[in-house]
Amino acid sequence: MSNLPSASWDLLSFLESATNYVRVAGGSLLALMGTAGVVWGGVLLIKKLMASQQDQTSWAKIIGLILIGGALMVGGFSLISTIAAGGRTTIEDLGGGMILLGLTD
């Protein structure tokens, strides 16, 4: 008998494994994209500071790249998951009758 854990070959185990794999791979991709955003924002910042009036890159774009890129670099999948959970709460509140329309008979 092997010391390896036994693997289940049912559909539910497959879907759980696929979900975990996509979560890890997607989180790593988000962290990579965040790192690229921070690096590119830094390059644009230095370029804007060193260039004359010819540079048309906006300060908002540079700051957005650095801030959002940094958040994704550090947070990855957990950051996006937290944002999505907030959206889920909002949708549940809307679907649960939390909105009262001022309708009178």
Side-chain angles (χ1 to χ4, degrees):
M1 187 120 311
S2 167
N3 289 337
L4 296 174
S6 61
S8 299
W9 288 96
D10 60 323
L11 182 60
L12 183 59
S13 296
F14 169 75
L15 292 175
E16 287 176 358
S17 296
T19 300
N20 289 334
Y21 179 78
V22 170
R23 182 177 292 136
V24 170
S28 297
L29 179 63
L30 287 172
L32 176 66
M33 296 300 291
T35 304
V38 169
V39 170
W40 187 244
V43 168
L44 290 178
L45 176 66
I46 297 300
K47 182 180 170 189
K48 180 125 178 130
L49 291 174
M50 293 179 72
S52 60
Q53 300 291 357
Q54 300 166 5
D55 190 8
Q56 298 297 319
T57 307
S58 70
W59 286 106
K61 179 180 179 179
I62 294 170
I63 292 170
L65 275 168
I66 293 172
L67 290 178
I68 294 172
L72 285 174
M73 181 175 67
V74 173
F77 181 79
S78 63
L79 173 69
I80 299 299
S81 178
T82 303
I83 293 170
R88 177 182 175 208
T89 302
T90 303
I91 290 171
E92 286 175 350
D93 288 347
L94 292 173
M98 297 297 292
I99 296 178
L100 300 175
L101 299 176
L103 300 175
T104 58
D105 291 343

